[in-house]
Amino acid sequence: MKALTQGRYLGRDGEAALFDVGLGATIAVRILEGDIGRVTLKPQDGYRLDRGWSIAPGGLEPAYEGRPRDDLSGFTCPQARVSESGGKVTLSAAGLSAEVTLSPFGIAWRREGEAEPFLQDRTTQAYLISPRTGALSHFMARDYAERHYGLGDKAGPLDRTGRRFAIDAVDPCGFDAELSDPLYKMLPFFIVDGKAGAHGVFYDNLSTGSVDLGCTLDNYHGLFRSWKGDDGDLDYYVMAGPTVPDVVRRFSWLTGGQAFAPRWSFGFGVTSMAIADAPDADARISDFVAKCRKHAIPCDSFHFGSGYTQIGQRRYAFNWNRDKFPEPLATMKRLNKAGMHTVANLKPCLLDDHPRLKEALDQGFLVKDSKTGEPAVAQFWDGLGFHIDFTNPKGRAWWRAGIETALLDHGFTTVWNDNNEYEIWDEDALCD
């Protein structure tokens, strides 16, 4: 990788400060709100991915096609002041400032009235890029007393300090709750809390990568933490806090907030692969309902394992195993009568011998291998298969119709989208 150690101030781009950092790349520093800053690196040939799907300020949801990376809608973008002195350029607005040192290039963020930065890049090689592979790295100085939280699904203590984690999403059934990594959900967002208060950093990058929160010790650089992306763009947001709740609220606002789930979903729910996988699954469900009644156990939802879709030992989306469930609607009615909402396990992949695979091939809505034009092959639970491309309108329509006719019309309340980690390792795989 190449280190971007020297910066040259190019002037303003609207309310942003723009810097040439070498190799034809530029870095833009912006203050979007009084407590949100943003740093974006644009390579010589433009962004690796010119859009994103994570940023939705105040609930301004992006389109299916994504939000253009340079789109600033939803942000107030307060009027900024820029000053230059002693090899430093300072951008300030609405109580937040970013002091950019040109040599070696690095950024320090301060809240109004505070002498010390709450976040600053390390002084040795803070930004690295690989023109050959597209990989990126960002290194920040770390105080020994700082604690780190976040990153989505991660095993071990809530405090992530001193560990390195993969930014990736896999289906690690039976994982070790202390040491396994990665797990199901990945989120390149972390909160830092220390004597300078709390702040958050979110990387708008969907590639695999890693976050190091003090695992690596290197005598050349002092204490640091880092984010690395295997590809994509360096585009990160800084949330100034100064408390952990402030950071959480702002991150929620930045990414569109969270819709409330239905009340029943907060109650006790049960799922067991052993029930739906069993040859007498319907009878086992009746037995479970009877035992809940006998022991006065309140149960708000029953989640079907994917065994209801089996043909032999393999699982097929939208297929009903009628040997196990002769009358699905009658099964649902028994559960509903017992006060349980029903949830269907559904896997967004079609095995290579799926009974309805021809429909998907004819309509062309599977994730494709860009070199051959054929569906990109992925490893799945029961063998090889192909992922539905939900960026393709035909794929969304076919999936919706399947949910309605194969599941909701049979009495299910809703679906549980399982195995949506999309573990596609074909580097030539391409969405619509």
Side-chain angles (χ1 to χ4, degrees):
M1 298 181 80
K2 297 282 190 179
L4 306 176
T5 61
Q6 304 299 312
R8 180 169 62 89
Y9 179 49
L10 298 176
R12 297 181 60 153
D13 178 12
E15 301 304 323
L18 196 62
F19 302 87
D20 177 354
V21 290
L23 301 179
T26 56
I27 283 182
V29 183
R30 291 182 171 85
I31 294 174
L32 302 173
E33 303 287 342
D35 57 353
I36 301 179
R38 183 186 183 190
V39 177
T40 312
L41 186 149
K42 181 180 286 188
Q44 184 174 21
D45 296 330
Y47 295 124
R48 298 279 287 178
L49 182 61
D50 62 357
R51 68 196 79 179
W53 288 263
S54 301
I55 302 303
L60 186 64
E61 287 294 323
Y64 269 106
E65 295 75 24
R67 175 187 171 103
R69 196 165 292 281
D70 288 329
D71 186 356
L72 300 176
S73 57
F75 297 107
T76 59
C77 298
Q79 187 174 358
R81 302 176 299 280
V82 177
S83 61
E84 298 181 68
S85 177
K88 298 179 186 292
V89 176
T90 301
L91 176 77
S92 57
L96 184 63
S97 68
E99 182 184 77
V100 182
T101 300
L102 299 179
S103 182
F105 186 84
I107 307 169
W109 294 87
R110 288 180 175 84
R111 307 181 194 95
E112 190 172 43
E114 296 181 359
E116 296 300 316
F118 62 85
L119 168 63
Q120 60 182 333
D121 294 331
R122 75 180 189 188
T123 57
T124 52
Q125 300 187 334
Y127 298 91
L128 289 87
I129 64 174
S130 173
R132 185 179 303 169
T133 67
L136 307 144
S137 293
H138 176 216
F139 295 86
M140 296 146 278
R142 176 176 64 87
D143 187 274
Y144 182 79
E146 287 177 328
R147 304 292 92 188
H148 303 80
Y149 310 94
L151 300 180
D153 258 356
K154 295 298 173 190
L158 186 64
D159 181 0
R160 318 295 193 197
T161 305
R163 298 187 63 189
R164 183 191 299 112
F165 296 96
I167 297 299
D168 197 0
V170 302
D171 180 33
C173 190
F175 63 86
D176 183 294
E178 181 186 9
L179 299 173
S180 290
D181 185 64
L183 299 182
Y184 294 96
K185 294 182 287 295
M186 53 83 100
L187 193 63
F189 164 68
F190 55 82
I191 299 171
V192 181
D193 193 21
K195 56 189 178 183
H199 69 271
V201 183
F202 172 60
Y203 294 88
D204 187 12
N205 180 300
L206 298 174
S207 75
T208 56
S210 64
V211 169
D212 187 325
L213 300 175
C215 184
T216 300
L217 299 176
D218 188 325
N219 194 48
Y220 295 133
H221 303 287
L223 298 180
F224 65 87
R225 58 180 167 265
S226 64
W227 167 87
K228 296 182 180 180
D230 293 333
D231 204 341
D233 296 281
L234 178 62
D235 183 3
Y236 69 91
Y237 293 77
V238 175
M239 283 138 277
T243 69
V244 171
D246 291 332
V247 174
V248 172
R249 279 190 289 266
R250 215 42 165 153
F251 177 69
S252 178
W253 179 88
L254 177 68
T255 53
Q258 174 64 53
F260 278 112
R263 185 176 179 180
W264 59 262
S265 68
F266 290 94
F268 173 63
V270 69
T271 183
S272 170
M273 283 181 60
I275 293 178
D277 278 20
D280 58 343
D282 194 56
R284 291 199 184 198
I285 289 175
S286 295
D287 181 62
F288 173 78
V289 170
K291 286 178 177 175
C292 284
R293 185 182 303 114
K294 177 182 177 181
H295 297 289
I297 298 173
C299 183
D300 286 318
S301 59
F302 187 93
H303 298 240
F304 280 68
S306 55
Y308 75 95
T309 69
Q310 284 180 313
I311 301 174
Q313 296 301 311
R314 287 157 66 94
R315 292 158 171 80
Y316 301 86
F318 303 135
N319 179 71
W320 270 100
N321 184 310
R322 293 292 179 153
D323 293 328
K324 297 180 183 182
F325 297 96
E327 297 182 64
L329 193 56
T331 305
M332 303 305 155
K333 285 181 177 179
R334 290 201 305 277
L335 288 163
N336 294 156
K337 187 177 180 180
M340 301 181 198
H341 292 269
T342 50
V343 185
N345 179 295
L346 188 57
K347 304 178 186 299
C349 181
L350 302 185
L351 292 173
D352 55 11
D353 62 347
H354 194 286
R356 297 180 62 181
L357 180 60
K358 187 175 185 302
E359 297 174 33
L361 294 173
D362 289 346
Q363 295 185 51
F365 56 72
L366 299 172
V367 176
K368 291 183 172 60
D369 183 323
S370 60
K371 299 297 185 185
T372 67
E374 298 296 318
V377 178
Q379 181 65 50
F380 215 59
W381 267 38
D382 305 310
L384 299 179
F386 314 103
H387 279 289
I388 308 293
D389 181 358
F390 289 114
T391 72
N392 188 320
K394 293 179 181 178
R396 296 198 298 273
W398 186 85
W399 193 252
R400 175 176 181 148
I403 290 173
E404 291 175 346
T405 58
L407 301 174
L408 301 184
D409 286 353
H410 286 73
F412 275 112
T413 302
T414 187
V415 299
W416 152 26
N417 192 27
D418 197 15
N419 303 113
N420 57 333
E421 295 81 19
Y422 269 54
E423 293 181 60
I424 300 175
W425 303 114
D426 183 345
E427 64 182 6
D428 295 320
L430 187 69
C431 290
D432 184 59

